[in-house]
Amino acid sequence: MAYPFELPPLGYDHDALEPHIDARTMEIHHGKHHAGYTKKLNAALEGHSDLHGLSAEQLLRGLESLPDTVQTGVRNNGGGYANHALFWDIMTPGGADAPSGDLASAIDDAFGSLDDFTSTLRSTAGSQFGSGWGWLAVDAKGDLVCISTANQDSPLLHGFTPILGVDVWEHAYYLHYQNRRPDYLEAWTELINWDRVAKRFAKAQGGWLDTV
Ligand code: MN3
């Protein structure tokens, strides 16, 4: 993908993730919030034809080399565009399989077990102050790390390659869970599509995901 960026399809119906995520939340989140980031990313890049061949990943990894006038727009809206594209892709209707193969081994090496990873993700994402994201990402050495970022900041800005992300902005859960972010996170981890995360992990070993 490159300019003009388009809203990626969900790949499933709005109600497919119920009861964990309600249909109305999905309609607004995908159709309004993600669509808004996509539109604003294009607006930020309009008039910068030298940047129109770059993917969102390339823009975010190279943010500091972009013109000053587009950096904030790319950071916020390019981040919002890429983060949500990953978010829809790594959820699946009907619950998740456990990871297998190299990803399962890497999770055991980094966190001790899948359960330990899940509780680390819940606490990391749960304690992000205000709006942001919790991530499973690959660092420069190829190791897995669990981190959080504020606002729409992508791990790509900091040299990490995200392979799983959970949105903890209130717009992701407030209609159904109100202030109960821990309840949302507990339900959310049951939606993880581990096959997709494993594919992203394999790609990230090359240091370059380039899917958005
Ligand atoms: Mn969101």
Side-chain angles (χ1 to χ4, degrees):
M1 287 274 239
Y3 180 92
F5 291 92
E6 293 176 6
L7 179 65
L10 270 183
Y12 38 78
D13 293 335
H14 289 122
D15 64 359
L17 303 179
E18 288 194 349
H20 303 80
I21 303 179
D22 62 285
R24 185 69 181 136
T25 294
M26 292 296 287
E27 286 170 16
I28 299 168
H29 201 175
H30 181 253
K32 302 294 183 189
H33 290 278
H34 197 185
Y37 295 123
T38 307
K39 188 176 172 187
K40 289 175 187 170
L41 172 60
N42 287 329
L45 295 170
E46 195 179 356
H48 293 272
S49 56
D50 53 319
L51 305 177
H52 289 180
L54 299 177
S55 68
E57 178 171 353
Q58 288 171 318
L59 289 164
L60 291 164
R61 284 192 192 274
L63 187 78
E64 289 179 3
S65 66
L66 301 180
D68 289 348
T69 51
V70 303
Q71 284 194 18
T72 300
V74 169
R75 179 176 180 172
N76 292 337
N77 297 297
Y81 168 81
N83 294 343
H84 289 87
L86 181 149
F87 185 59
W88 313 131
D89 183 60
I90 55 92
M91 293 189 286
T92 188
D97 294 319
S100 59
D102 290 347
L103 177 59
S105 310
I107 285 174
D108 288 346
D109 289 346
F111 303 101
S113 69
L114 180 61
D115 283 348
D116 289 329
F117 162 68
T118 303
S119 58
T120 300
L121 179 69
R122 286 172 178 160
S123 64
T124 300
S127 60
Q128 167 62 37
F129 182 74
S131 297
W133 290 76
W135 303 98
L136 177 64
V138 180
D139 70 12
K141 293 183 293 182
D143 294 329
L144 288 175
V145 291
C146 185
I147 59 172
S148 63
T149 58
N151 304 313
Q152 292 296 350
D153 283 359
S154 168
L156 295 165
L157 299 173
H158 309 296
F160 297 104
T161 304
I163 62 171
L164 174 157
V166 57
D167 189 343
V168 292
W169 284 58
E170 286 186 345
H171 67 227
Y173 62 87
Y174 205 84
L175 284 181
H176 186 69
Y177 295 94
Q178 292 83 49
N179 61 317
R180 293 174 283 115
R181 188 190 284 187
D183 292 353
Y184 159 68
L185 286 168
E186 185 163 345
W188 187 85
T189 49
E190 295 177 18
L191 295 172
I192 298 169
N193 186 336
W194 285 108
D195 289 339
R196 295 291 175 84
V197 179
K199 281 183 184 155
R200 288 174 178 272
F201 178 63
K203 274 192 160 183
Q205 297 304 299
W208 196 254
L209 204 55
D210 211 20
T211 54
V212 290

